[in-house]
Every structure is written in structure tokens, then in C-alpha cells.
């Protein structure tokens, strides 16, 4: 069976066709994965402008879906279902995908499947590598989320911890902005950090040990926090601006390298702590920040040292795309779950 996936939760309009293989170990294959990025539109404003994003999704969605069908050499008749990101994300953006998917499902007489965006990121690992040995601990780390999940059964995602404040990708984007490096910040900081000294300046690490009053169901000691680090970079930049001497390129690279070391260390440490605590048989990192070169290298290196299999998406499957939504949709469809046609977008949809 082939499924059409649609993703419009933030600033990428994406449509994909994913097909089942019949192989239980590697259940899905990508037939097409078309992504229209809005980055050039939002770059001018230094971040995603929600109203501009939803308007651009409306302009792009029909063409992107047609392109995905063409590239997969598929017709509407060849499809078995339509999967769409229901949330979380920007509500205006989500509504474009959800409305399109509902209309397409009615017009083509296909079942509709509602997908959680982070379930999509987790399933990008399976799409890329095949089924993960379970139990698995997976970190989803993006511009909007930094969340650790325990997966004991396929399609069941138990939240272990999350960030108390900024997401890691958000911290990258904010730090890049205050260093004048543009949007999105992750790729440029990643590149500049490679020429910097990661011990050049003093920046704080945050290790939480106490439970969060807002989430008493979580232990709290695997939680993340990045706003203190971002504020420390801000203070460093302000102090320098007050002295009237601009940073040299080397100094900017040093700040990037130090910031990146601290973020990556926090992510890797918490991930491996969780893996030990839950006796995981595999570990994965997904989401936009999983494209980070240092994070990828440290995951592979530490996984090899601990003799635990590690999983990453390809760079294209790391950032937002519809193939991962189609894959998560197939998993849900095969579990017998479809959505009613009065499905609504949910900007704060919980997972699990
Ligand atoms: O998953 P994604 O495409 O969208 C969300 O669901 O948020 O993630 C986008 C985030 C942005 O914050 C971006 O700066 C970050 O991923 N990112 C990176 C890298 N590439 C993208 N962060 C660190 N290093 C990278 N190489
Ligand atoms: Zn995402």
C-alpha cells in the first residue's frame, strides 16, 4: 500500500509518498518526498512569521502534492490513505495541511490518518534504518521541542523528559541572531564552530535535579534547560558591545564552538543516562538539530564505546518533511487508527 503524507506544521510545505515493503525489519520505502522551504521568506524577519507561513502554505500545497505524486509515478487511485500532521505547530500552518488532507480524503474516497509531528520525527529513524531494537530511547530535538521518549512497543511513545524552557534548536536560532549570523541559526553555528576553540570562554551548563511542578508525572532529573546558556551568551555579547570593540571572526567561532559543546554535551549525557536507566537496546536522535555534525559524531562515538546501537536520520529526513509523517501514518493505519472528517488542527497536541 502507498500512503500520501502531508506536513505543514511550521515553515516547510511538504508532501511525500511512502510505500510498504512487506519486510517487517524495514517496513517502508520513500517513493517521493517534496519539500518547499519558506526559509528565504522568513530570513528577512529573523525567524518564522506565523501569518506569512500559513499564507505561503496555501500558495504551495497543491503544487507540492502534485509534484509528490508525479515523482512517485502514482495516481490518487494507487493510494490507500492520506496522513497529515495534526499538531503540534503553528495553528494557521497546521490548518492548511489538515484542510487539504480532509478535502483530498473525501474527494479520493480515502481514509484519513492524523499524525503527531514528533511521532513523525521518531519514525524518520525507522524509515531510514529499519525497526529499532526495543526498548529504545529517542531524543527528538528541533526548533520547537527537546523531548526524550521511551519506546517499548512500536507506535507507543512514552515521554521521559523535555526542556523546561527553550528548545535546543531555538537556543541555536536565538544565539545566532544575537551574534548577527542570520536564520536559521543551527547550520551556521555548526559550520563556524568547526573553526573555534570550544573552551575559549566561560559559559554555564544547567543540570536539573529537581522535579518540575508543572509536570509532576515526570521525574525531572532528565529534563533540559537552555535559556540560562542563551542569556550568558547575551551578557557576553552586551559586555563586549559596551566596550566598543567588535568580535573578530575567531572570537565568534570560539563562542559558537563553546555554545555547541555545552548544548551537545547536555543532550548526549541525558540521552545516555536515560538509556542506562531504562536498559535500552538502542538509542536514536531525530529532529532538525540531529543534523548537527558534533551531535552526530558524539552519538556514534559514545554508542560504539558503550556497545549500544545508535540511529540517526539522513540530513533530509532530520528537518521537517512529509515522508516521516507518511511513515508514522502507515504505522497508525496498520494499528487500525483513522481520523474522522471533522478532524481539527491542534497547536498543542500531546503525544502518547
Ligand atoms: O525539525 P525542524 O526542521 O523544525 C521543527 O520542528 O522545529 O528543526 C529546525 C531546527 C532549527 O532550530 C534549526 O536551527 C535547527 O533545527 N538545525 C540545527 C542544524 N540544522 C538545523 N541545529 C544545529 N545544528 C545543525 N546543523
Ligand atoms: Zn520538526
Amino acid at each position: 500500500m502507498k500512503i500520501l503524507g502531508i506536513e505543514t506544521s511550521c515553515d516547510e510545505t511538504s508532501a511525500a509518498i511512502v510505500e510498504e515493503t512487506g519486510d517487517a525489519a524495514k517496513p517502508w520505502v520513500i517513493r517521493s518526498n517534496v519539500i518547499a522551504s519558506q526559509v528565504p521568506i522568513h530570513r528577512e524577519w529573523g525567524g518564522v512569521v506565523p501569518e506569512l507561513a500559513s499564507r505561503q502554505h496555501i500558495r504551495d500545497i497543491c503544487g507540492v502534492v502534485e509534484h509528490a505524486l508525479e515523482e512517485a509515478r502514482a495516481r490518487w487511485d494507487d493510494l490507500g490513505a492520506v496522513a497529515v500532521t495534526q499538531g503540534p505547530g503553528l495553528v494557521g500552518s497546521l490548518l492548511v495541511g489538515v484542510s487539504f488532507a480532509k478535502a483530498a480524503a473525501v474527494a479520493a474516497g480515502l481514509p484519513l490518518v492524523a499524525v503527531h509531528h514528533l511521532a513523525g520525527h521518531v519514525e524518520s529513524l525507522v524509515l531510514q534504518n529499519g525497526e529499532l531494537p526495543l526498548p529504545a530511547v529517542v531524543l527528538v530535538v528541533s526548533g520547537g521541542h527537546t523531548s526524550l521518549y521511551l519506546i517499548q512497543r512500536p507506535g507507543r511513545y512514552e515521554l521521559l523528559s523535555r526542556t523546561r524552557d527553550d528548545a535546543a534548536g531555538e537556543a541555536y536560532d536565538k544565539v545566532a541572531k544575537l551574534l548577527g549570523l542570520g536564520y536559521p541559526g543551527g547550520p551556521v553555528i555548526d559550520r563556524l564552530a568547526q573553526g573555534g576553540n570550544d573552551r575559549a570562554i566561560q559559559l554555564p551548563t544547567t543540570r536539573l535535579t529537581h522535579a518540575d511542578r508543572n509536570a509532576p508525572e515526570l521525574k525531572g532529573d532528565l529534563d533540559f534547560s537552555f535559556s540560562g546558556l542563551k542569556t550568558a551568551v547575551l551578557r557576553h555579547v552586551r559586555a563586549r558591545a559596551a566596550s566598543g570593540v567588535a568580535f573578530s571572526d575567531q572570537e565568534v567561532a570560539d563562542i559558537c564552538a563553546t555554545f555547541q559543546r555545552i548544548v551537545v554535551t547536555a543532550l548526549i549525557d541525558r540521552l545516555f543516562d536515560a538509556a542506562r536507566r531504562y536498559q535500552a537496546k538502542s538509542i536514536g536522535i531525530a529532529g532538525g538539530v540531529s543534523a548537527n555534525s558534533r551531535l552526530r559524531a558524539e552519538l556514534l562515538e559514545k554508542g560504539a564505546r558503550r556497545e549500544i546501537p545508535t540511529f540517526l536520520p539522513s540530513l533530509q529526513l532530520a528537518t521537517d518533511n512529509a515522508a516521516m509523517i507518511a511513515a508514522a501514518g502507515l504505522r497508525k493505519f496498520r494499528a487500525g487508527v483513522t481520523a474522522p472528517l471533522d478532524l481539527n488542527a491542534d497547536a498543542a497536541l500531546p503525544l502518547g
Side-chain angles (χ1 to χ4, degrees), residues 232-313:
V233 176
L234 176 66
R235 279 208 208 94
H236 185 69
V237 170
R238 284 216 178 120
R240 191 55 184 270
S243 78
V245 186
F247 285 122
S248 66
D249 288 351
Q250 186 57 50
E251 284 173 315
V252 171
D254 290 347
I255 296 170
C256 290
T258 308
F259 166 80
Q260 176 151 292
R261 172 179 58 80
I262 292 170
V263 173
V264 167
T265 304
L267 296 173
I268 291 283
D269 284 356
R270 233 58 89 239
L271 179 57
F272 278 85
D273 286 352
R276 199 176 320 112
R277 187 177 300 177
Y278 295 95
Q279 297 174 356
K281 294 208 170 70
S282 64
I283 291 184
I285 305 184
V289 181
S290 72
N292 185 266
S293 60
R294 182 165 184 159
L295 185 62
R296 293 175 86 88
E298 289 199 12
L299 175 73
L300 298 178
E301 191 253 316
K302 197 160 177 177
R305 217 167 349 114
R306 298 270 171 91
E307 294 181 0
I308 181 161
T310 52
F311 292 86
L312 284 162

Side-chain angles (χ1 to χ4, degrees), residues 117 121 142 320 324:
H117 183 76
H121 277 301
S142 68
D320 288 349
M324 69 184 193

Side-chain angles (χ1 to χ4, degrees), residues 14 127 136 140 348:
S14 181
L127 191 53
V140 180

Side-chain angles (χ1 to χ4, degrees), residues 43 175-185 188-189 191-192 252 256:
R43 183 171 283 139
V175 164
K177 195 170 181 176
L178 56 96
L179 290 173
L181 300 175
Y183 174 84
V188 54
I189 290 185
R191 182 166 47 77
L192 294 178
V252 171
C256 290

Side-chain angles (χ1 to χ4, degrees), residues 22-343:
D23 173 356
K26 191 151 192 332
W28 315 301
V29 59
I30 300 173
R31 296 297 178 209
S32 64
N33 190 17
V34 177
I35 303 166
S37 172
Q38 301 179 1
V39 163
I41 293 166
H42 301 292
R43 183 171 283 139
E44 199 180 324
W45 305 94
V48 178
V49 183
E51 188 56 30
L52 291 180
S54 40
R55 284 165 193 257
Q56 194 61 33
H57 285 305
I58 293 174
R59 287 187 200 105
D60 287 341
I61 185 85
C62 293
V64 166
V65 171
E66 274 169 13
H67 197 146
L69 285 163
E70 258 167 43
E71 223 176 77
R73 296 179 199 285
R75 290 170 308 145
W76 287 100
D77 288 354
D78 302 328
L79 303 178
V82 178
V84 63
T85 307
Q86 184 192 2
L90 302 171
V91 74
S93 293
L94 289 165
L95 275 168
V96 177
V98 168
S99 307
F100 184 96
K102 289 199 289 189
V106 174
L110 294 169
L112 181 68
V113 186
V115 172
H116 191 286
H117 183 76
L118 300 190
H121 277 301
V122 172
E123 299 301 347
S124 73
L125 296 174
V126 178
L127 191 53
Q128 176 79 31
N129 307 285
E131 294 286 3
L132 312 182
L134 302 181
V137 170
V138 174
L139 173 68
V140 180
V141 61
S142 68
H145 299 271
T146 304
S147 300
L148 258 177
Y149 290 97
L150 172 66
I151 300 156
Q152 310 204 62
R153 282 186 291 137
R156 300 279 309 176
Y157 318 96
E158 293 169 50
L159 183 68
L160 297 177
S161 74
R162 79 270 188 275
T163 179
R164 300 266 180 104
D165 38 61
D166 292 351
E170 186 181 356
Y172 266 96
D173 294 337
K174 287 178 174 170
V175 164
K177 195 170 181 176
L178 56 96
L179 290 173
L181 300 175
Y183 174 84
V188 54
I189 290 185
D190 190 359
R191 182 166 47 77
L192 294 178
Q194 286 164 24
N197 170 0
D198 67 7
R199 304 266 167 190
I201 57 168
Q202 281 282 326
L203 291 174
T205 49
T206 309
R207 173 90 227 214
L208 295 161
T209 51
H210 57 287
D212 179 359
R213 260 179 293 148
N214 295 320
E217 72 282 7
L218 302 177
K219 282 207 171 77
D221 58 344
L222 292 171
D223 281 358
F224 303 91
S225 168
F226 296 108
S227 71
L229 174 61
K230 171 204 64 195
T231 307
V233 176
L234 176 66
R235 279 208 208 94
H236 185 69
V237 170
R238 284 216 178 120
R240 191 55 184 270
S243 78
V245 186
F247 285 122
S248 66
D249 288 351
Q250 186 57 50
E251 284 173 315
V252 171
D254 290 347
I255 296 170
C256 290
T258 308
F259 166 80
Q260 176 151 292
R261 172 179 58 80
I262 292 170
V263 173
V264 167
T265 304
L267 296 173
I268 291 283
D269 284 356
R270 233 58 89 239
L271 179 57
F272 278 85
D273 286 352
R276 199 176 320 112
R277 187 177 300 177
Y278 295 95
Q279 297 174 356
K281 294 208 170 70
S282 64
I283 291 184
I285 305 184
V289 181
S290 72
N292 185 266
S293 60
R294 182 165 184 159
L295 185 62
R296 293 175 86 88
E298 289 199 12
L299 175 73
L300 298 178
E301 191 253 316
K302 197 160 177 177
R305 217 167 349 114
R306 298 270 171 91
E307 294 181 0
I308 181 161
T310 52
F311 292 86
L312 284 162
S314 65
L315 293 184
Q316 201 204 18
L317 290 181
T319 45
D320 288 349
N321 68 88
M324 69 184 193
I325 302 303
L330 268 172
R331 174 143 3 243
K332 217 167 162 182
F333 183 73
R334 287 305 178 200
V337 188
T338 56
L341 285 172
D342 63 354
L343 178 75

